[in-house]
Amino acid sequence: MNGDWYKDRVFYQIWPRSFKDGNGDGIGDLYGVYDKLDYLKELGIGGIWFSPFYPSPNADYGYDISDYYSIAPEYGDLDIFRKVLDKAHSLDIKVILDLVINHTSDEHEWFRKSRDKDSPYRDYYFWRKGKKEGRAPNNWSSFFSKGAWTFDPETMEHYLHLHHAKQVDLNMDNPAVREEVKKIMRFWLDFGVDGFREDVITYISKPAALPDDLFFQAVKGLRFYDCGPRIHEYLQEFRTDVLDKYDCMTVGEAPMITPQRALTFVSGNHPDLNMVFGFRHMEADCLYKEYLPLPFSLRKLKRAFTSWQNALNGKAWNALYLENHDHPRVLSRYGSERYHDESGKMLAACYLLQKGTPFVYQGQELGMTNFALPSIEQYEDCVARKQYENATKVLPKKFVLRIIQRATRDNSRSPVQWTGGKNAGFSDAEPWFPVNRNYPSINAADEAADPDSVLNFYRRLIAFRTKSRIVRYGDYRELLPLSRSLYVYERTWQGETLLVICSFTEKAVRYRFPKGFAAETAELLFCNYRTAPFDAETGGTARSGRKPHCPRMTTRPYETRIYRITKQ
Ligand code: NOJ
């Protein structure tokens, strides 16, 4: 875990089921990935994160693993993965896998065996007696259902699952479980992968007594299983016993973490992990989860971005993202479908030039959008279904469906739109999940041919950031933190400044450039409009050759501009 290579690359997340179908069964697979590696190379991608492709009953689409050592037949087999890996490496693309070790599927053989009270596997999981008859062992709630415990009438005990009842929490306090985890890590690292994205890794250590959540703490989002008592010890053990022996990296998913707490995982001489994914910036239009919608607040988003940039500066390395398979499409949330191309590009600029390693989620580079389905039966996500079932007990069905349409993770799980042809070029067969109706106008083939597309903007920006030392090393400073419409930040390094201006509104906003900015010397590197005028009274436009002397601009809808300013 020594190489710094992950700092100079842009990663791309593949959620295999919806990426590209290569064998004609309507389900995305590794054959499809193999065919698209050149596309990723052209995008400038230097690493791939695969969401789980292991055998799974798919209660939570792959995050309920029943065998850690092979590949689900619908996605391929180890041979095709070998080919994908070799080709990726030949293109200088690293590959990391999802390591889901907080829980296994209830169909994993460990859990099956653990149903027998006398089996050594019993202690692989949390089997407990209820407090009283008919009552769960504690009051923990699950993210995907009501209670975090399910009762087994055969052994008269309950088992713990923080997520779906088919995702059973592993007991990491059991040394045998930790040995299993290390064995899984070694298997894939020996196979040649370059690291792991570690699923809900901050939940893997539970306090031995499994105490009740306290109401006031729970309201604030504090849980006993979050960053539990032995979390650092276990992550250090994984690092020392396995990861240190390979040139690999890790990025941990840390749902509730603050940047200060993140430092305890990612800073110091021998950090537990290389990076963590925080969540705060994904909550700028909702309360913790998208299911509690609020109006979008740019100030919330900026506070989240800036607090992470500042806290980690010089101490640790950030993981940057705006989309993944757990959130609706960002263009439909923080951007505007009406200003599709403009806001798609602006959103790219708002995070790709921050300090850290960016992750792009499949289809984000095309500006894929949310997609409302007309009935709940068409949604596949277990969370959407559960939320619908619960909420419709007290709220009108139509109203609940509208929230689901906006909030469901399925928004980001529709097939990638490759062409304007049949099934968006995703598959010759009927896709496993409906294709977004807007594919005739939003698709990779058309965007590749259009120099002004969102895709080509991503390509140029990624190419720029990958070789830019200022993006790698520069300090970050936010300007205008109080603005409700503009996000402006600069990166400064060795006498050079990058100024990034992002408008999050269709309204015209007057912006005065910072002191020292001279229109004559500032080089406009990127803009999402064809021209980049300064205000009329300033006497000219950047391209007109006339020199503006009072650098001010009035933004156009979702405008972004990136300037390079070199000290004279
Ligand atoms: C986080 C994953 O990203 C999400 O998709 C999954 O449902 C939960 N962890 C449980 O594994």
Side-chain angles (χ1 to χ4, degrees):
M1 228 168 67
N2 300 317
D4 260 4
W5 50 261
Y6 63 90
K7 295 186 176 173
D8 299 310
R9 291 165 186 262
V10 174
F11 277 74
Y12 189 89
Q13 183 194 349
I14 292 183
W15 197 75
R17 204 171 190 80
S18 287
F19 182 68
K20 174 80 178 104
D21 177 16
N23 65 358
D25 63 359
I27 297 176
D29 51 40
L30 290 169
Y31 309 101
V33 173
Y34 185 84
D35 291 342
K36 291 294 177 191
L37 286 172
D38 294 316
Y39 166 87
L40 296 183
K41 185 70 194 168
E42 224 176 305
L43 180 56
I45 293 306
I48 295 172
W49 150 27
F50 277 103
S51 276
F53 49 35
Y54 320 98
S56 159
N58 284 326
D60 184 21
Y61 283 108
Y63 284 90
D64 47 324
I65 297 172
S66 53
D67 172 7
Y68 287 92
Y69 297 100
S70 58
I71 295 195
E74 71 239 50
Y75 299 137
D77 54 24
L78 287 174
D79 290 340
I80 178 65
F81 182 54
R82 160 66 50 219
K83 283 192 187 148
V84 168
L85 192 60
D86 289 349
K87 182 165 175 196
H89 284 164
S90 75
L91 295 170
D92 190 26
I93 295 176
K94 303 274 189 186
V95 174
I96 67 169
L97 302 188
D98 225 305
L99 184 75
V100 186
I101 51 160
N102 177 66
H103 43 265
T104 70
S105 162
D106 67 338
E107 296 182 32
H108 194 288
E109 72 162 323
W110 301 337
F111 186 71
R112 287 220 193 103
K113 290 181 176 161
S114 89
R115 287 187 179 275
D116 170 1
K117 269 187 160 173
D118 300 323
S119 156
Y121 289 97
R122 188 76 173 174
D123 194 39
Y124 268 42
Y125 299 91
F126 295 93
W127 283 101
R128 295 288 186 278
K129 291 207 177 322
K131 272 188 196 155
K132 283 189 199 146
E133 219 194 288
R135 300 252 324 260
N138 72 16
N139 68 356
W140 292 4
S141 56
S142 132
F143 295 102
F144 293 178
S145 51
K146 215 163 150 235
W149 295 92
T150 291
F151 182 64
D152 172 41
E154 276 199 12
T155 53
M156 299 296 284
E157 287 188 356
H158 306 245
Y159 68 83
L160 176 69
H161 53 89
L162 292 180
H163 297 85
H164 195 285
K166 287 181 73 62
Q167 291 168 296
V168 194
D169 281 57
L170 280 165
N171 172 16
M172 210 54 73
D173 295 340
N174 180 344
V177 172
R178 301 203 297 282
E179 286 312 313
E180 300 278 11
V181 170
K182 289 185 244 175
K183 208 170 124 195
I184 296 165
M185 287 178 159
R186 282 190 202 104
F187 175 83
W188 289 108
L189 290 167
D190 288 338
F191 198 91
V193 308
D194 304 292
F196 301 104
R197 174 268 188 188
E198 303 190 355
D199 191 60
V200 289
I201 198 65
T202 39
Y203 295 172
I204 62 167
S205 163
K206 280 92 180 169
L210 303 178
D212 273 344
D213 273 331
L214 306 172
F215 178 75
F216 287 108
Q217 284 195 330
V219 170
K220 283 196 264 167
L222 301 171
R223 307 285 177 169
F224 282 117
Y225 51 76
D226 183 40
C227 301
R230 298 176 71 185
I231 179 80
H232 296 295
E233 179 191 330
Y234 297 157
L235 294 179
Q236 282 294 319
E237 182 180 326
F238 298 152
R239 197 178 153 177
T240 310
D241 291 0
V242 183
L243 299 164
D244 280 349
K245 302 183 172 32
Y246 297 83
D247 179 20
C248 64
M249 69 80 122
T250 53
V251 51
E253 187 197 27
M256 303 179 182
I257 211 154
T258 61
Q260 285 66 33
R261 192 138 211 202
L263 285 175
T264 65
F265 290 88
V266 291
S267 65
N269 290 337
H270 194 255
D272 301 341
L273 302 162
N274 293 113
M275 299 179 276
V276 291
F277 287 127
F279 275 48
R280 199 53 63 79
H281 67 288
M282 299 311 291
E283 294 158 19
D285 62 353
C286 59
L287 198 65
Y288 181 54
K289 279 274 170 203
E290 286 89 358
Y291 286 97
L292 299 168
L294 293 176
F296 170 66
S297 159
L298 176 62
R299 283 170 67 173
K300 254 193 186 172
L301 178 69
K302 297 196 300 183
R303 270 202 301 276
F305 278 157
T306 299
S307 62
W308 276 81
Q309 288 290 309
N310 290 343
L312 270 59
N313 191 27
K315 298 184 187 139
W317 196 250
N318 258 298
L320 313 169
Y321 74 97
L322 279 181
E323 277 193 15
N324 62 37
H325 63 295
D326 285 335
H327 302 280
R329 293 284 182 183
V330 74
L331 193 147
S332 304
R333 298 175 62 183
Y334 297 176
S336 157
E337 290 179 16
R338 182 156 166 234
Y339 293 99
H340 175 270
D341 286 15
E342 294 81 0
S343 68
K345 295 173 191 173
M346 182 281 291
L347 287 164
C350 92
Y351 89 111
L352 276 176
L353 298 182
Q354 291 183 27
K355 196 168 187 164
T357 295
F359 289 73
V360 176
Y361 177 65
Q362 63 188 35
Q364 178 189 333
E365 78 281 12
L366 307 174
M368 280 181 63
T369 64
N370 281 355
F371 175 35
L373 294 170
S375 78
I376 190 67
E377 286 72 36
Q378 283 175 281
Y379 285 104
E380 294 284 343
D381 178 23
C382 59
V383 184
R385 291 183 169 211
K386 197 75 210 168
Q387 297 278 357
Y388 184 83
E389 190 188 313
N390 291 340
T392 48
K393 286 182 189 145
V394 285
L395 294 167
K397 286 186 176 161
K398 263 195 179 162
F399 174 76
V400 178
L401 183 62
R402 269 212 305 280
I403 296 192
I404 302 279
Q405 287 167 336
R406 168 179 162 173
T408 174
R409 311 190 289 183
D410 276 346
N411 277 309
S412 56
R413 297 175 177 191
S414 66
V416 171
Q417 295 160 210
W418 294 107
T419 70
K422 187 181 163 202
N423 300 328
F426 166 73
S427 174
D428 294 333
E430 182 66 17
W432 75 280
F433 189 76
V435 173
N436 192 320
R437 275 185 300 273
N438 62 19
Y439 73 88
S441 55
I442 301 173
N443 66 69
D446 290 356
E447 292 194 33
D450 170 6
D452 282 330
S453 64
V454 177
L455 173 62
N456 275 313
F457 192 84
Y458 265 89
R459 285 176 174 168
R460 287 194 293 272
L461 203 53
I462 290 173
F464 168 75
R465 83 149 279 148
T466 308
K467 53 183 187 330
S468 161
R469 295 168 76 78
I470 199 170
V471 178
R472 164 78 137 92
Y473 297 108
D475 284 330
Y476 165 98
R477 186 165 76 99
E478 187 191 345
L479 311 176
L480 304 186
L482 299 182
S483 169
R484 292 176 200 281
S485 317
L486 302 184
Y487 174 40
V488 184
Y489 64 97
E490 51 178 39
R491 305 289 313 277
T492 315
W493 191 66
Q494 295 198 339
E496 227 178 69
T497 299
L498 274 187
L499 177 67
V500 183
I501 303 159
C502 299
S503 166
F504 277 76
T505 174
E506 59 182 75
K507 295 202 190 102
V509 183
R510 215 65 187 308
Y511 173 64
R512 182 188 289 277
F513 286 84
K515 230 167 125 204
F517 178 96
E520 305 84 340
T521 51
E523 182 191 353
L524 179 68
L525 298 176
F526 293 91
C527 178
N528 54 353
Y529 285 82
R530 281 170 193 271
T531 60
F534 294 93
D535 278 356
E537 78 260 33
T538 66
T541 70
R543 292 199 172 178
S544 69
R546 285 189 292 144
K547 286 184 181 167
H549 30 264
C550 173
R552 266 191 287 175
M553 67 181 268
T554 301
T555 60
R556 288 160 289 182
Y558 294 92
E559 180 164 4
T560 187
R561 295 188 194 184
I562 300 164
Y563 287 96
R564 177 168 29 215
I565 305 154
T566 314
K567 239 195 204 149
Q568 297 297 303

